[in-house]
Amino acid sequence: MARARHPTEDPTWVKALVLAVVAAFLALVLILPLAAVFAEALRKGLAVAIDAIAHADALAAVKLTLITAAITVPFNVVFGLCAAWAVAKHDFPGKAFLITLIDLPFSVSPVVAGLIYVLVFGLQGWFGEWLLDHDMKVIFAVPGIVLATIFVTFPFVARELIPLMQEQGVSEEEAAISMGASGLYTFWRITTPNVRWGLLYGVLLCNARAMGEFGAVSVVSGHIRGLTNTMPLHVEILYNEYDFVGAFAVAALLCLLAIVTLVLKTALEVAQPAVRRGGH
Amino acid sequence: MTADSPAAQRPVAARRPLFRRRSAIPGFGLTLGVTLSVLSLIVLIPLSAVALKAAELSPSEFLAAAFSQRALAAYRLTFGAALVAAVVNGVFGVLTAWAMVRYEFPGKTVLNALVDLPFALPTAVAGIALATLYAPNGWVGQFLTPLGIKAAYNPIGVTIALVFIGLPFVVRTIEPVMRDLSADVEEAAASLGAGRLATIWRVILPALGPAWLTGFAMAFARGVGEYGSVIFIAGNMPYKSEIAPLLIIIQLEQFQYAQAATIAVVMLVVSFLMLLVINAIQAYSRRFV
């Protein structure tokens, strides 16, 4: 080789070895499962797969998944902005503890997340009788599914916004306010534009999790076809009925959602490198 | 504030008073109020229901539910598989992060994006895909069967699913620290005569320690609670391949609410301890930045 190797550069054989090991590992762990989903979905041809997705129960599941995400994501955006404004732009005792509490749902098993709402709103739960008397249903109905999804995705947007707003400090907001801008105007014209890419990043991850959540939703849904089945639950039902093509066809649709999420996320990271943070 | 007020006599070293002067930025009361209310209503109060439900049992009933033979077998599998998976990810995650930070190679952007697949892919989809791959007649399983390895419907299958789920936690926690490692230290080590391996072993890896431990703990914590990707490949045989979250669901289906809550309490205590460990590691590592 014409160029001498820089002392902090690995020898070529080390590079080749590391890349080979990494490529083999990622192929086995990540690429193979993804490929298997599409291969199984198309096992009996594209038409059969599309039929499975166009089935009334599958379409109802798609609709419920979209409704759940449409409630969960805006809720978490409003909460995330509130929490980030309070935590990042002000000083108060117990701030670190509050951030830990906001993060708490990350370390709670999704099954436990479902269980807690059964204990609160279920027939034997705190409000079970009251809900029954007023002819309202939370568990085994859409409100329970939405609540469980909100719990599981709770930290996503706030977690993205808090460090970002902390880094940006308060000088721009203080300048605006000292020149007579109202708080709301300052928030809308100064803070929001500064954090919009971080917000989008959080929304992207929150949406993917909201549409894909399984454990928590599984506990509160009751698996009523056409009524309380989200797409991941529909996948489970079809799979357990040995309708593998149907299960993998709906799964392939969810894979496409994941791929779109990853493409948008990567595009965002390339365009706005500042949004890239540690993993969730 | 007058000079002889008690506040003025406080030692100068108290740099951060409890409440700093009122911030010029408005909206503190409103946003903190909304944050605390929503947090309490969605997270804290419902979570307390688990503890209250478990407390309905007498101490001996509680112990019987929390540490029955079946529950102990489930904990062993859940924590054991999560630990093994976190170790596997600890090794391959460092290599993956190293390749992403230090090397240029074709397809890097795609591979780098794919590392986040477990964050973006619904767990049930991962579950049925892995179960199909590692079934005795699956793409991977057919090569394991002649070797006498039964991956699916076995504790090995649980571990495989948790490796999938945990990988990005390790890679994404280590990556930024690895990227920020300054080249000077490495150059200094090299110029002082350290071989490449010695530099990596004695200079680079120790600097990555806290991030590695954090990623390891996050992957472990996530693995302990994981449900969707595991149940399809696990086989779910009591005492053998039944994970703790599944045991909660089984108790729930038998209307054993207090017993389900008891197992949830055990898992919550463990997750909370993990959270404390992660925070302690991060606080410890920040002292050196």
Side-chain angles (χ1 to χ4, degrees):
Chain A
M1 222 192 257
R3 187 174 60 99
R5 185 169 59 81
H6 192 270
T8 62
E9 206 178 305
D10 294 337
T12 312
W13 70 269
V14 173
K15 239 185 228 185
L17 186 68
V18 170
L19 282 180
V21 170
V22 167
F25 180 71
L26 294 186
L28 184 67
V29 174
L30 300 176
I31 298 174
L32 222 45
L34 204 54
V37 171
F38 289 105
E40 292 292 325
L42 298 174
R43 183 169 283 251
K44 289 182 185 156
L46 187 62
V48 181
I50 290 176
D51 274 354
I53 294 171
H55 191 279
D57 289 342
L59 289 179
V62 172
K63 193 176 151 205
L64 181 57
T65 294
L66 292 176
I67 290 173
T68 307
I71 301 172
T72 304
V73 173
F75 181 93
N76 279 326
V77 167
V78 172
F79 171 76
L81 283 170
C82 270
W85 184 264
V87 168
K89 303 290 178 191
H90 301 87
D91 243 349
F92 56 94
K95 193 193 256 192
F97 186 60
L98 180 62
I99 296 178
T100 307
L101 287 182
I102 293 174
D103 268 349
L104 196 60
F106 272 150
S107 42
V108 173
S109 169
V111 170
V112 177
L115 170 70
I116 61 176
Y117 290 111
V118 172
L119 295 178
V120 173
F121 297 110
L123 212 49
Q124 314 283 321
W126 293 350
F127 301 112
E129 273 180 39
W130 189 88
L131 287 169
L132 196 65
D133 290 344
H134 291 76
D135 205 23
M136 283 191 280
K137 255 187 129 174
V138 175
I139 299 306
F140 304 149
V142 178
I145 293 173
V146 172
L147 271 175
T149 309
I150 288 180
F151 182 97
V152 172
T153 55
F154 195 69
F156 277 85
V157 179
R159 201 67 189 116
E160 217 57 55
L161 289 180
I162 289 172
L164 192 62
M165 281 201 193
Q166 268 172 339
E167 260 167 47
Q168 287 170 350
V170 292
S171 50
E172 287 185 41
E173 281 84 2
E174 276 177 347
I177 283 166
S178 71
M179 285 189 270
S182 74
L184 210 57
Y185 185 87
T186 308
F187 170 75
W188 207 240
R189 302 301 291 265
I190 308 283
T191 312
T192 321
N194 275 342
V195 298
R196 60 173 182 247
W197 298 116
L199 182 63
L200 191 60
Y201 198 78
V203 163
L204 213 54
L205 295 173
C206 177
N207 181 60
R209 183 70 194 265
M211 290 190 173
E213 178 50 31
F214 178 74
V217 171
S218 163
V219 175
V220 295
S221 133
H223 301 87
I224 309 163
R225 272 176 188 245
L227 279 179
T228 64
N229 253 352
T230 61
M231 286 170 77
L233 295 178
H234 194 58
V235 169
E236 183 198 19
I237 288 192
L238 294 176
Y239 186 85
N240 287 342
E241 287 173 350
Y242 303 102
D243 179 0
F244 293 128
V245 170
F248 279 102
V250 180
L253 207 56
L254 287 167
C255 277
L256 291 178
L257 165 78
I259 292 169
V260 168
T261 303
L262 291 182
V263 168
L264 289 176
K265 184 169 166 294
T266 307
L268 199 55
E269 282 162 8
V270 171
Q272 302 286 330
V275 297
R276 157 61 89 215
R277 278 165 204 292
H280 284 285
Chain B
M1 199 181 283
T2 52
D4 55 1
S5 75
Q9 287 158 14
R10 253 194 242 136
V12 191
R15 284 210 307 269
R16 277 175 65 116
L18 197 57
F19 283 97
R20 239 197 347 216
R21 86 192 147 73
R22 274 185 61 92
S23 164
I25 297 174
F28 176 60
L30 175 73
T31 52
L32 188 68
V34 170
T35 304
L36 290 178
S37 320
V38 172
L39 183 69
S40 305
L41 288 175
I42 300 274
V43 179
L44 300 180
I45 296 173
L47 265 182
S48 73
V50 172
L52 291 175
K53 192 73 197 178
E56 285 175 10
L57 295 174
S58 73
S60 61
E61 282 173 331
F62 179 87
L63 289 178
F67 304 110
S68 67
Q69 287 304 315
R70 191 172 174 185
L72 285 176
Y75 301 140
R76 259 198 298 277
L77 173 66
T78 307
F79 294 116
L83 192 67
V84 174
V87 170
V88 170
N89 279 327
V91 174
F92 288 98
V94 170
L95 285 179
T96 306
W98 187 255
M100 296 302 168
V101 172
R102 290 301 180 95
Y103 302 157
E104 290 305 322
F105 52 92
K108 181 174 163 179
T109 316
V110 176
L111 221 49
N112 196 20
L114 262 183
V115 169
D116 283 331
L117 182 70
F119 286 153
L121 192 69
T123 53
V125 175
I128 62 169
L130 291 171
T132 306
L133 279 177
Y134 289 91
N137 58 352
W139 289 356
V140 183
Q142 59 180 323
F143 299 109
L144 299 176
T145 314
L147 303 173
I149 302 171
K150 197 168 171 290
Y153 320 124
N154 226 357
I156 300 175
V158 178
T159 313
I160 290 170
L162 297 185
V163 168
F164 174 85
I165 288 300
L167 177 67
F169 289 93
V170 179
V171 178
R172 295 307 184 215
T173 317
I174 295 177
E175 238 184 345
V177 182
M178 214 178 243
R179 192 165 284 128
D180 289 347
L181 275 185
S182 82
D184 324 354
V185 194
E186 263 180 274
E187 277 168 12
S191 72
L192 290 173
R196 189 66 192 137
L197 215 58
T199 310
I200 290 176
W201 190 249
R202 315 201 52 168
V203 177
I204 297 175
L205 286 183
L208 294 177
W212 187 87
L213 273 177
T214 307
F216 179 88
M218 284 166 82
F220 176 76
R222 174 69 201 264
V224 166
E226 180 56 22
Y227 175 72
S229 60
V230 175
I231 50 158
F232 295 100
I233 196 173
N236 308 326
M237 281 167 288
Y239 300 101
K240 188 169 174 240
S241 59
E242 183 179 66
I243 53 168
L246 179 68
L247 202 52
I248 295 180
I249 289 191
I250 290 173
Q251 302 278 19
L252 210 51
E253 279 167 356
Q254 295 167 350
F255 305 105
Q256 309 253 33
Y257 290 104
Q259 279 77 5
T262 302
I263 297 170
V265 165
V266 174
M267 291 185 64
L268 280 176
V269 167
V270 174
S271 329
F272 188 67
L273 289 177
M274 291 303 301
L275 205 64
L276 283 182
V277 169
I278 294 172
N279 280 350
I281 297 169
Q282 284 178 335
Y284 179 78
S285 68
R286 259 197 296 273
R287 291 183 2 206
F288 298 104
V289 176

